Amino acid sequence: MTYATAPILRRKLAPLVLLVMVTVLALVGCGNLGEFDEEGVARQAERYYAEKYGDDAHVVDVWEDRSYVLFGYQSSGRAFCTMSDGQTVLVDFEDGVVGDNRQQDEVTAAYEQRFREELEGCCERLGDAGCDVASVTVNGVPLEEDGFFEGCISTYYWPEDPAGEKNGELETTVEQSASFFYARYTGDDSFFEQEASRVSLGVPYVKIELSGADADYADGFPTDVPETPAWVAPIEGACRALLPLMDGETETRVVVYQAGCRDGVPGITDDAVVTSDAENGKLGELSPFDDSDTGADDIGSWLIVEWFPVGKGVYVTSDECGVRLRTGDVELETVESPVSLEELQESGSLERFDEREFAPGAFEAYSLAVAPDLFARLPESVRDKGWFNIRLAYDNQDPQTGLAELGVTPGGLAPTLYRVEKNPAAEDVDSAPPYEVIAMRTETLANGFQYSEPELFADAPTLLVRM
């Protein structure tokens, strides 16, 4: 090697050296694989098991909980101990025993019964308030059936067998799961008090369908809704009663629908639950994670659905828990359009809407903005992010649209509203269209109104274009 070729060789070796360094650092960061005190973990599991159940079962296997990361595995800092009776004890290397799965079926059933009792009481109180309850489901399962908490409570996953090779072929890891509880369940209420700070119920999704007082609106389009609908207090009472089960953590999400309407529940594929009426009939939603301090009387923030007109055939309602919109909170104003119909068409961003007929004579631009003092009245969490979700509905048959004066006859989805936004990619990509055009949905609400689900910002109005 000559002196002249040394820099070339160094340049070629540099990436290899860097790769080796990264590999070493990654392997060093893979946690304490194989370094935990397996015997000590097993003793903890056996001691806990004996004290809880009075059994002399012993640990026959220990699985470290780990996940694959770049260049290796990383430990979660806990292990699953298989007991001689076939049950499993979960041990955290720092915090000790998490719990075991021996009583998972009866404990899950007990939690379901507590929920069932409170929600049945809620239904009675709803009846007293003048509401007829059509159905109640928890996690997509009817309240009267078992299994709505199956696989949901304090669930952990671990491998039954490690991945490896068999007959020259790579095997996949077989995964199993169970619910782990620390306290022993003997059928009394003290268990729920002992377990409350440890248990995780996920986010129980409760759906209530009802009719009657403050729930019967034409085509599931609530207008002129009372300040506090009749169904709010009974539901809040049930949620407060359920708080002790979760150590005050307001984890239950309740959505209220007009009877006969259905919605799509995330993660639920039952055809009886998911139907084409996914956007109809929502009356309200209690979200536990917004503006809640988990106090005795603090059960979360309500979204109360109330549509109100802002002019030109446009209706607005809040789609954000903790935000209740009323007439005057959102204003629609006719403005000079910063972009012409021709410019929108030339941008190319309208190509995917070719199935709609444009009405050039109807072309008009609107500014949709919040009232100057609205954000000052909203929850701090909404003020901090500077925006909130809304839903827009558009009725091109409304006389206020002024289409008749223009000689434009509404038909089908034409003319309709589009939301126009500047395309941020246009600053860096010459071929990118300068504007993004977002259409109203082609599937209308039950009353035939078109709708969309935009956001409203504190410092920037939304530009709507009718064409």
Side-chain angles (χ1 to χ4, degrees):
M1 180 179 69
T2 64
Y3 180 78
T5 61
I8 298 175
L9 182 60
R10 283 198 297 270
R11 286 197 297 271
K12 290 183 176 179
L13 288 176
L16 180 60
V17 173
L18 179 61
L19 177 61
V20 172
M21 293 175 63
V22 171
T23 303
V24 171
L25 289 172
L27 291 174
V28 171
C30 282
N32 51 0
L33 293 180
E35 298 179 5
F36 71 95
D37 183 1
E38 185 171 330
E39 291 186 4
V41 167
R43 286 195 298 270
Q44 287 185 70
E46 291 171 346
R47 184 167 55 250
Y48 155 85
Y49 210 70
E51 292 175 354
K52 182 175 180 178
Y53 297 111
D55 294 348
D56 58 357
H58 58 279
V59 174
V60 297
D61 210 345
V62 178
W63 292 100
E64 183 181 20
D65 185 22
R66 59 184 187 173
S67 58
Y68 184 76
V69 294
L70 186 63
F71 305 117
Y73 287 89
Q74 182 171 358
S75 173
S76 69
R78 60 194 179 198
F80 295 89
C81 302
T82 304
M83 309 302 292
S84 56
D85 63 357
Q87 305 302 322
T88 304
V89 176
L90 176 56
V91 180
D92 186 278
F93 299 157
E94 294 184 2
D95 300 330
V97 175
V98 174
D100 67 277
N101 66 335
R102 177 167 165 170
Q103 293 185 291
Q104 63 174 339
D105 291 340
E106 58 184 314
V107 170
T108 298
Y111 271 100
E112 288 187 359
Q113 185 57 29
R114 290 294 296 268
F115 256 71
R116 185 176 292 109
E117 291 172 355
E118 292 300 338
L119 290 175
E120 286 176 348
C122 175
C123 291
E124 293 179 2
R125 293 190 293 273
L126 285 170
D128 295 339
C131 301
D132 294 323
V133 180
S135 71
V136 180
T137 60
V138 182
N139 295 333
V141 178
L143 182 64
E144 58 272 15
E145 296 181 13
D146 296 330
F148 53 75
F149 274 160
E150 184 176 344
C152 298
I153 305 181
S154 298
T155 304
Y156 293 86
Y157 300 84
W158 74 100
E160 182 178 351
D161 292 305
E165 289 189 8
K166 184 177 182 180
N167 298 327
E169 296 184 0
L170 184 65
E171 291 184 306
T172 57
T173 300
V174 178
E175 193 175 58
Q176 55 185 341
S177 64
S179 296
F180 289 83
F181 303 98
Y182 187 85
R184 184 174 183 180
Y185 179 63
T186 58
D188 56 29
D189 289 344
S190 63
F191 166 82
F192 298 101
E193 299 174 5
Q194 298 173 52
E195 197 68 19
S197 62
R198 293 174 173 268
V199 74
S200 172
L201 299 180
V203 183
Y205 184 99
V206 180
K207 186 180 71 173
I208 300 175
E209 293 186 32
L210 47 82
S211 58
D214 305 331
D216 291 334
Y217 296 94
D219 302 314
F221 196 76
T223 58
D224 299 321
V225 179
E227 180 71 21
T228 304
W231 38 266
V232 167
I235 293 173
E236 286 186 348
C239 289
R240 289 193 184 95
L242 292 171
L243 285 179
L245 296 182
M246 299 163 279
D247 197 31
E249 294 292 335
T250 52
E251 294 183 332
T252 304
R253 178 187 173 201
V254 182
V255 184
V256 185
Y257 289 89
Q258 186 172 337
C261 297
R262 296 288 190 269
D263 76 308
V265 182
I268 304 298
T269 57
D270 187 347
D271 291 339
V273 176
V274 182
T275 75
S276 60
D277 293 331
E279 299 297 335
N280 295 333
K282 186 174 182 178
L283 300 176
E285 177 180 345
L286 179 60
S287 175
F289 300 112
D290 300 326
D291 311 302
S292 177
D293 298 323
T294 66
D297 296 323
D298 195 358
I299 43 82
S301 300
W302 273 105
L303 161 66
I304 304 296
V305 178
E306 179 180 14
W307 293 93
F308 61 91
V310 290
K312 295 292 185 177
V314 179
Y315 292 77
V316 176
T317 187
S318 170
D319 199 24
E320 182 103 12
C321 286
V323 178
R324 176 75 180 270
L325 291 178
R326 297 170 176 81
T327 301
D329 288 340
V330 178
E331 301 168 345
L332 185 76
E333 180 182 6
T334 304
V335 297
E336 182 178 351
S337 178
V339 56
S340 67
L341 174 59
E342 291 74 18
E343 287 174 320
L344 289 175
Q345 290 174 319
E346 291 173 0
S347 74
S349 60
L350 285 175
E351 291 178 357
R352 61 185 183 276
F353 307 132
D354 282 347
E355 71 276 9
R356 299 184 178 184
E357 295 182 2
F358 298 115
F363 187 79
E364 196 167 37
Y366 311 110
S367 171
L368 185 71
V370 298
D373 63 338
L374 176 62
F375 268 80
R377 296 185 271 115
L378 296 183
E380 183 178 354
S381 59
V382 179
R383 295 199 305 271
D384 288 344
K385 68 180 184 178
W387 59 272
F388 60 91
N389 294 297
I390 64 168
R391 299 186 71 200
L392 278 179
Y394 178 60
D395 176 21
N396 64 11
Q397 309 284 333
D398 192 320
Q400 288 194 22
T401 61
L403 291 172
E405 289 80 354
L406 296 172
V408 177
T409 302
L413 292 172
T416 184
L417 288 181
Y418 294 88
R419 194 163 76 252
V420 179
E421 299 176 355
K422 287 186 177 180
N423 185 3
E427 298 180 3
D428 304 315
V429 181
D430 293 338
S431 60
Y435 297 98
E436 291 181 326
V437 183
I438 301 96
M440 306 284 276
R441 289 180 180 265
T442 55
E443 308 89 358
T444 64
L445 296 173
N447 57 10
F449 293 1
Q450 306 160 44
Y451 70 97
S452 63
E453 298 147 315
E455 303 86 26
L456 270 185
F457 293 83
D459 54 359
T462 296
L463 176 63
L464 301 174
V465 174
R466 184 183 69 186
M467 52 189 175

